[in-house]
Amino acid sequence: MIAEAGHYALVLALALALIQSTVPMLGARWGDPALMNVARSAALAQLLFVAASFTALVMLHVASDFSVVNVFENSHSMKPLLYKITGVWGNHEGSMLLWVSILALFGGLVAAFGNNLPLSLRAHVLAVQGWIAAAFYLFILVTSNPFLRIASPPIEGRDLNPVLQDIGLAVHPPMLYLGYVGFSISFSFAIAALIEGRIDAAWARWVRPWTLVAWIFLTLGIAMGSYWAYYELGWGGWWFWDPVENASLMPWLAGTALLHSAVVMEKRNALKVWTILLSILTFSLSLLGTFLVRSGVLTSVHAFATDPSRGVFILLILCLFIGGSLSLYAWRASALKQGGLFAPISREGALVLNNLFLTSACATVFIGTLYPLALEVLTGDKISVGAPFFNLTFGPLFVPLLAAMPFGPLLAWKRGDLLGAAQRLTAAGIAALVAIAVLFAWVHGGATLAPLAIGLAVFVIGGALSDLAERIGLFRVPVATAMARARGLPRATWGTAFAHAGVGVALIGIVCETTWNTEYIGSMKPDETAKVAGYQLKLDGVTQRQGPNFREMIAQFTVSLDGETLRAMTPSKRNFTTRGSSTTEAALLTRGASQLYISLGETNADGAIAVRIYHKPLVLLIWWGPVLMAFGGLLSLSDRRLRVGAPRPAKAARALQPAE
């Protein structure tokens, strides 16, 4: 009965989504507050029913009810409890149920905490959320029902994909979906503004916290996915320009541009049309990512579905929402009044430049990802677009962006002083030059441009610190006064500094790992020693053990440096008999921000084991950077200006009826 109850709850959620998408719109058209308030009740009730449906699927997996197709295809009675729970979204049907659950969660949050919104705006926003939810409920019920029964239930399940039996599955997809789906709120606000024909600084204040929440989760989700692929796949790489990786990067780039554009709109009531367009494009790219992963058009380690009917259904949803929203934008955008003017050399100008580079970078990733698909459809020819294309197009766009980044916060609004900002960045420039000189003198080998790239990263970090130092008057006023000013700075200012510094930190990690990575690839027998980057790694032996649902071969290495034993490393290979496949479990030894990395290959006929050993200098900075960026986002989110809500413009106060 649990499966039937879960399915019935999903049908009721669809009915509520249809009510939420129509009744409040009629109420807004007729000026009826009672009908407009239906949006709030419907959104909260929809969240309740979809949560019940998701809970039912979790219970079925935990109980190993193999009479349900989804449980049979993706679970095993001997699988650890953690992986039984995370396996709920480790497949197409369950992941889509998680997707709509998070969509309902965001709608419920707007309903619960959106009391400061004008009643008609809240009604329109929740109605748009209802449209999106209804489309995806239909998709799940028609093509991807997770509660289908098996007439003759088997005794045992087929087990979850071994690659997904990892703690990363508990963290990466939920965070990624919180980012993807979170941008639906920005989209709904944009469509609501176009419907009402009214957008102002208060609108930007309302939409910015939701955009920031989505951006924070998407940043952490992408970083976690990168680290998961790094240690799980055994290749030792952190980013492969996989099409599905690109599908998550594109909305992140557009979302970053949207955040900066919303700041200009909030502060200066400018860039209205640009902000609306970015709100639409960011969520459209999130929908595109959903299509790429679940349509079967891509062959990827990340892709879930191969059923063409599902792809056609999602493509219809894609055309409906992207095409419809862009058509509405083309029709109504000209009616939106532009805000105040500003000089090219100003903080607004710097943010516009930032957005141009971000959207151009997003466009290159979009073209590189979809061009092979389009070419195959049109001509039948298959080509692959890999790292060389993306590195040569994406990289050059980020160099000027990073060079300009420290100047933005130091420029005044409306009209800035570029020379004055450059003078305040003198210390950051000197630190960058010193870093470049030291690296050229100290490091031998590697790319010639690597020291310049690290110098640029130091300039970005130094620029963030210079902005803080300038604001608190460091070295110009007594220390006590400077500390008092630091405590009084808005949290958004601290958040901006941390986020920008995080970009520099990640760049240092990327350059060091790709330039000075050392590797050993070969076959080893017990008691043999390999040398990598000054480390000695001795293979002590190989043992076998039986896991709960796999057989594991474990190799033990003793690691020493300059004759001193550090510790043992135990990489392994796991063989999952039910699935008939194996996984590589890499061993990692962390020293500071650097890592030693060992993964195992196949065993040769003479008993030797193929091994890959890497030394990756400062590799952890690649992921510490995004964590720092997300922390900056959290600081900005906690800023009092975002907590107290948006003030209404005086002229419009009488026209906007508050929500109840």
Side-chain angles (χ1 to χ4, degrees):
M1 287 298 295
I2 295 178
E4 286 71 26
H7 183 259
Y8 185 55
L10 203 58
V11 173
L12 290 176
L14 169 61
L16 287 164
L18 292 172
I19 293 172
Q20 180 183 327
S21 63
T22 53
V23 174
M25 296 285 289
L26 295 174
R29 184 176 182 83
W30 297 336
D32 188 332
L35 292 181
M36 285 189 278
N37 274 318
V38 168
R40 183 174 186 271
S41 303
L44 293 173
Q46 183 197 142
L47 173 59
L48 177 65
F49 281 110
V50 76
S53 181
F54 187 78
T55 302
L57 187 59
V58 173
M59 292 172 63
L60 292 169
H61 274 260
V62 170
S64 296
D65 186 349
F66 299 122
S67 68
V68 177
V69 175
N70 184 264
V71 181
F72 165 69
E73 293 284 349
N74 301 284
S75 193
H76 190 279
S77 60
M78 299 302 293
K79 192 170 64 173
L81 177 62
L82 173 64
Y83 301 148
K84 287 185 179 181
I85 296 173
T86 59
V88 171
W89 55 82
N91 58 87
H92 170 74
E93 293 83 3
S95 69
M96 287 308 304
L97 187 57
L98 176 64
W99 202 99
V100 294
S101 299
I102 293 175
L103 183 70
L105 173 63
F106 275 101
L109 290 174
V110 172
F113 299 105
N115 292 332
N116 64 326
L117 298 174
L119 185 55
S120 63
L121 178 63
R122 190 180 73 180
H124 281 120
V125 168
L126 290 177
V128 177
Q129 286 289 114
W131 296 343
I132 301 168
F136 279 95
Y137 288 139
L138 279 172
F139 171 70
I140 293 174
L141 291 169
V142 173
T143 71
S144 310
N145 186 358
F147 299 106
L148 290 177
R149 290 282 194 180
I150 299 177
S152 301
I155 298 176
E156 191 54 85
R158 295 185 58 194
D159 208 354
L160 180 66
N161 184 343
V163 174
L164 300 179
Q165 295 189 36
D166 185 87
I167 189 64
L169 185 63
V171 181
H172 170 56
M175 281 193 170
L176 204 63
Y177 287 2
L178 284 165
Y180 270 168
V181 182
F183 284 124
S184 68
I185 301 296
S186 307
F187 174 84
S188 297
F189 267 93
I191 299 303
L194 289 173
I195 292 172
E196 295 191 351
R198 181 179 60 220
I199 179 171
D200 50 27
W203 179 92
R205 179 74 64 85
W206 287 318
V207 77
R208 198 153 71 92
W210 300 103
T211 305
L212 196 52
V213 167
W215 181 86
I216 291 169
F217 279 115
L218 187 57
T219 301
L220 293 174
I222 292 173
M224 180 60 215
S226 168
Y227 189 65
W228 184 16
Y230 163 75
Y231 72 76
E232 178 65 25
L233 298 182
W235 301 337
W238 56 273
W239 193 263
F240 306 98
W241 291 111
D242 181 282
V244 182
E245 288 179 330
N246 296 347
S248 63
L249 179 62
M250 288 187 286
W252 184 87
L253 292 169
T256 305
L258 171 60
L259 273 179
H260 290 85
S261 185
V263 170
V264 176
M265 186 174 166
E266 180 186 340
K267 298 289 186 181
R268 298 283 302 141
N269 201 27
L271 302 185
K272 294 181 180 180
V273 175
W274 183 237
T275 306
I276 290 288
L277 180 60
L278 283 173
S279 299
I280 293 172
L281 290 180
T282 301
F283 183 59
S284 297
L285 290 169
S286 297
L287 291 177
L288 177 65
T290 303
F291 169 72
L292 291 176
V293 177
R294 291 169 178 80
S295 62
V297 301
L298 291 179
T299 302
S300 165
V301 70
H302 303 83
F304 278 122
T306 56
D307 184 355
S309 64
R310 292 172 176 173
V312 171
F313 203 117
I314 296 182
L315 186 60
L316 290 174
I317 295 176
L318 208 66
C319 293
L320 174 65
F321 285 106
I322 298 178
S325 59
L326 290 177
S327 298
L328 181 63
Y329 172 81
W331 177 41
R332 299 299 298 269
S334 59
L336 299 176
K337 295 180 181 179
Q338 288 297 335
L341 299 176
F342 54 86
I345 304 299
S346 63
R347 191 175 300 186
E348 297 98 322
L351 291 172
V352 169
L353 181 67
N354 164 87
N355 285 3
L356 290 175
F357 280 119
L358 284 171
T359 51
S360 298
C362 182
T364 65
V365 178
F366 180 86
I367 293 169
T369 303
L370 295 187
Y371 175 73
L373 301 177
L375 186 67
E376 183 177 354
V377 169
L378 295 175
T379 67
D381 296 333
K382 291 187 176 183
I383 66 167
S384 62
V385 176
F389 168 81
F390 292 109
N391 292 338
L392 289 173
T393 56
F394 189 84
L397 287 170
F398 255 65
V399 169
L401 172 64
L402 294 174
M405 185 183 294
F407 288 89
L410 294 172
L411 292 172
W413 293 102
K414 195 171 183 179
R415 184 177 298 276
D417 179 7
L418 186 60
L419 180 59
Q423 290 173 343
R424 292 192 289 275
L425 288 171
T426 300
I430 292 173
L433 292 174
V434 170
I436 293 170
V438 168
L439 284 169
F440 269 120
W442 178 52
V443 176
H444 301 284
T448 305
L449 296 178
L452 298 177
I454 291 181
L456 180 59
V458 171
F459 180 62
V460 170
I461 297 170
L465 296 176
S466 297
D467 178 40
L468 293 176
E470 184 68 25
R471 290 176 183 272
I472 66 176
L474 192 63
F475 306 126
R476 292 189 285 108
V477 299
V479 175
T481 304
M483 292 299 102
R485 289 182 179 178
R487 288 191 295 271
L489 280 180
R491 292 185 186 178
T493 301
W494 286 100
T496 299
F498 275 108
H500 287 185
V503 176
V505 169
L507 179 59
I508 292 174
I510 291 169
V511 174
C512 289
E513 193 278 334
T514 55
T515 305
W516 296 295
N517 174 44
T518 307
E519 66 179 35
Y520 169 88
I521 300 176
S523 297
M524 296 181 65
K525 293 182 178 180
D527 297 326
E528 289 186 350
T529 301
K531 295 182 179 181
V532 177
Y535 293 89
Q536 295 83 40
L537 298 96
K538 180 184 176 184
L539 175 58
D540 298 321
V542 179
T543 58
Q544 302 280 342
R545 83 174 183 94
Q546 181 65 46
N549 59 333
F550 58 83
R551 181 80 177 167
E552 187 172 28
M553 178 184 72
I554 305 173
Q556 178 162 320
F557 289 80
T558 299
V559 183
S560 58
L561 179 65
D562 298 328
E564 178 186 354
T565 300
L566 299 179
R567 52 160 279 192
M569 297 179 68
T570 54
S572 67
K573 280 189 74 72
R574 293 177 178 176
N575 182 36
F576 293 78
T577 53
T578 304
R579 280 272 178 172
S581 60
S582 61
T583 62
T584 297
E585 304 297 316
L588 303 173
L589 171 60
T590 301
R591 289 177 60 82
S594 303
Q595 285 188 330
L596 271 176
Y597 180 111
I598 307 177
S599 65
L600 301 181
E602 300 299 326
T603 303
N604 299 333
D606 59 357
I609 304 175
V611 297
R612 291 172 175 261
I613 304 174
Y614 303 95
H615 176 253
K616 297 181 170 293
L618 302 184
V619 67
L620 291 180
L621 295 185
I622 295 174
W623 301 290
W624 291 353
V627 170
L628 197 60
M629 293 161 63
F631 177 69
L634 283 173
L635 284 178
S636 296
L637 190 63
S638 66
D639 193 288
R640 181 178 179 275
R641 290 171 297 177
L642 295 185
R643 294 202 307 272
V644 300
R648 297 193 187 100
K651 293 181 180 179
R654 292 186 298 274
L656 302 179
Q657 182 179 358
E660 297 176 0

